[in-house]
Amino acid sequence: MPDQPQKKIQKKPTPAQLLERLGLVKDMDFIVHLPLRYEDQTQIHEIASLAIGEYAQIEATVTQQTLLQHPRKQLHALVRDHSGELLVRLLHFYPSQIKQFAEGSFLRLRGEVRRGFNTALEMVHPKVTQAGTPLAATLTPIYPTTDGLSQPALRKAILEALERGNLIDTLSEKVREHYGLIDFASAVTQLHYPAVEQSSALLNQSHPAWDRIKFDELLAQQLSLTAARARRALLKAPAIASSKKLTHQLTTALSFTLTGAQQRVIAEIDQDLQRTQPMNRLLQGDVGSGKTIVAAFAAVQAIEQGYQVALMAPTELLAEQHQQKLTAWLAPLGIQVDWLSGSLTPAQRRQANERIALGTSQLIVGTQALIQETVQFHQLGLVILDEQHRFGVEQRLELSRKGTLSMAQLGADLLPHQLNMSATPIPRTLALTFYSDLDVSIIDELPPGRTPVQTKLLAADRRLEMMDRVRLAVQEGQQVYWVCPLVEESEALQLQTAVDTYEQMAQELAPLRVGLLHGRMNSAEKNQVMASFRAAELDVLVATTVIEVGVDVPNATIMVIEHAERYGLAQLHQLRGRVGRGHKVSFCILMYQAPLSAVARERLRAMYETTDGFEIAQRDLTIRGPGEFLGVRQSGQMLLRFANLDQDSDLILQAKECAAYLYQHQPEQAAAHVQRWLGAKEEFLRG
Ligand code: ADP
Ligand code: MG
């Protein structure tokens, strides 16, 4: 419907179309279309008892009507009950309303009580109904609606669905009792039509009816994840035995000792690889925690058993850096590391493809070029994705499919093992919900000798001071990143901004050596600039967010971010992670342009207050909600409407446990529950 081009003459949408616009199609959609608030139409208030600001319902007689002409047309009606008097004001009105408010009319009026000008109290445009009709027995729901769909019409549609809908409980009494939940029918009935005294508990969501709805929603999600996990357990992968030789050699050759966390995670991966089910593990570790070497250990294990390994990174810069690092670690062990990116010449690419297809290349590092049609692997047994959240579902699947194809001679439908790495920490609650079909390993320890980065906020008008600070640092032999303002509207403008910033800096900072790095440069240019910066042939690197991931230059100690208020929290954290990689104290300067929006202020405060990636991720979740974290992963998955990842972590744990129980012991109940909440969206029990 929304895809159709707009017609010149717009037809008025039908009620069904309006309902569909609100997402209301099936009975269940209506049943969980919950009120925004409630109105109390259960009693008649006495005028004398009304308080300013209260929403009230009165029955009163019009004692005087006045039609004002100046300063603009208004209808005033003074109304009175046995206790007092109140002014009704209509700022625009129809002739029928003049009649309605004729002197002597007895009316039921509903609206907000306000302080009047001449009279003590007034109502502006109250709702008018016939006096003397029966009063509502419960609170009246006010629903989120759309233009053209009145509250009474929506209310009627929802009430019909409630009456028609099957409200049979999908949870047995035993399960409900165990988790202290009320039954489904009374939960939804109370949410739509609560008794008066329940209104505040419902509005602040402390009412048991809310617990039930949230629990049900979370349970449906957990059940579908449980099903996904069960489906995965049926998949086959080649078992890859522990390495006897190469891991030992690699450990001895390293210039550093692995942290405890790295060792633990390497052992977890080792275990996974030995299984005949494909590993699907998310390796989380803050920026600089040393994930690459963990990937190297996983790769070495697979290579020792004769499997090929592919490592895919989202940007050329990052892939290039991995290629250099991994070659330095693995080539001395006699491992053939290869490279595939968009910047190879056709001849180079053909040769690389040949080596890959023959199996001469054992580890292939690259960008999305790895999933191009022309690439054929030779027993690709392990797939590693760096910064996994930057890849789409399709891209991951494609690499996995290539693995399956490449292992056809080993057995039917073998999947490669998969290791997903991410420096964007996923808050615990999110990991428990949207990611619970993954196994998660966490590197929660930074390599020794790192000094935490000091973060400072600086108003943009102190830019000159900042320049002095930069000169001083360079005199002391340090290097500086200068991130130019983010321009999201257009790539061309972003490029212009980067070039302008660069020219300005080069001029103001002369004779310092200033370089420029931006997304529009080709990879040879990018690599050349990065290499010069790494070799300390440049003092200051003006850059866009291309340096956000992966870049590792330990001698750089200052990260200046201009217009930091334009960046997201995860981005700021990533950028800050580019410094603090050596032994000297590092600084991250967040320059901001006042005035700050409330959200920007929260973000900068979070950056200032903590350097812990998990804490930052949790705050980001609070500030922005889960959408950003899920990124491409959310496609096809439902976002939570009722439960709140930030506040309902207890319920999440309970739902997770309950899902496991139902899946095992009450599969029919589980299927009914998923059907109710996810309907056709879910291929539950597909087998
Ligand atoms: P990230 O987790 O952000 O990908 P990297 O893998 O790039 O981090 O590692 C950051 C830096 O720390 C690299 O220079 C790497 O060689 C180094 N490193 C990794 N592990 C250790 C360790 N245990 N001790 C010292 N340095 C380490
Ligand atoms: Mg990394």
Side-chain angles (χ1 to χ4, degrees), residues 256-259 262 287-292 325 447 450 552 581:
F256 51 79
T257 319
L258 295 172
T259 62
Q262 284 171 322
V287 278
S289 62
K291 295 182 291 295
T292 320
K325 240 183 214 170
R450 301 266 169 90
D552 184 29
R581 292 175 165 252

Side-chain angles (χ1 to χ4, degrees), residues 338-340 344-358 360-361:
D338 221 318
W339 165 245
L340 209 55
L344 295 183
T345 65
Q348 287 174 321
R349 180 178 296 234
R350 219 172 24 248
Q351 285 158 10
N353 280 345
E354 230 162 76
R355 291 190 298 270
I356 295 168
L358 285 172
T360 348
S361 312

Side-chain angles (χ1 to χ4, degrees), residues 46-68:
E46 293 186 337
I47 291 177
S49 73
L50 298 181
I52 307 284
E54 179 184 9
Y55 193 90
Q57 176 165 262
I58 59 172
E59 282 189 352
T61 309
V62 180
T63 55
Q64 188 191 334
Q65 185 190 76
T66 321
L67 278 171
L68 276 74

